[in-house]
Amino acid sequence: MDTAVGRPPCNLREHREQQKHIREHRDLQEALRQTTSDLEETVDLAGLLYETNQRIGTVIDYLLKGRGTVPTGESESFEIVLDRDLNQLEGTEGDRTGGTKSPTPAGDVTMTENPVSTGD
């Protein structure tokens, strides 16, 4: 009997298997710590991106109001940018399927705001 633990001595195979399980357990704990850390960083980054998006939206609204593009009190910057992105996405999908790009109902934001722009 193993006097230190109070059980019979294990054979070498059992001992190696136990050590293997202990290493796997430690590796899984470390992977969990790393994943948790990555998740926390991702949440922090998402919060930062959200705050930045809010600030950019405010600046865009201010600039559009200065040009008289947005009626007072209403925020249309999101819709304008979203329409532009969706139109670009539809154009990209049309290129992949061999179709043609549909005309933009709201027009390109740069062309709407600055008709002299060459679109470059």
Side-chain angles (χ1 to χ4, degrees):
M1 184 144 266
D2 186 353
T3 58
V5 183
R7 57 190 155 102
C10 342
N11 65 28
L12 185 58
R13 181 177 172 193
E14 290 174 342
H15 179 71
R16 287 181 180 163
E17 194 169 314
Q18 182 182 17
Q19 294 302 315
K20 176 184 169 190
H21 289 301
I22 289 171
R23 280 190 305 274
E24 288 175 353
H25 179 72
R26 287 180 185 151
D27 290 344
L28 288 172
Q29 283 180 322
E30 179 58 33
L32 178 62
R33 274 192 289 274
Q34 184 62 44
T35 301
T36 302
S37 175
D38 291 347
L39 180 59
E40 289 171 353
E41 287 179 22
T42 302
V43 169
D44 291 343
L45 180 59
L48 179 63
L49 290 173
Y50 178 79
E51 183 180 324
T52 302
N53 182 46
Q54 294 292 83
R55 289 181 180 183
I56 288 174
T58 302
V59 169
I60 290 172
D61 287 342
Y62 175 78
L63 293 173
L64 291 174
K65 283 179 187 177
R67 291 189 164 190
T69 306
V70 177
T72 306
E74 291 186 26
S75 174
E76 293 184 6
S77 62
F78 177 76
E79 287 83 9
I80 291 171
V81 172
L82 181 61
D83 285 343
R84 181 177 182 198
D85 289 343
L86 288 175
N87 288 330
Q88 288 176 347
L89 181 61
E90 288 171 0
T92 303
E93 289 175 357
D95 291 344
R96 277 189 254 144
T97 60
T100 59
K101 182 178 176 182
S102 61
T104 314
D108 188 340
V109 134
T110 36
M111 293 305 289
T112 302
E113 292 180 27
N114 188 3
V116 181
S117 172
T118 60
D120 292 296

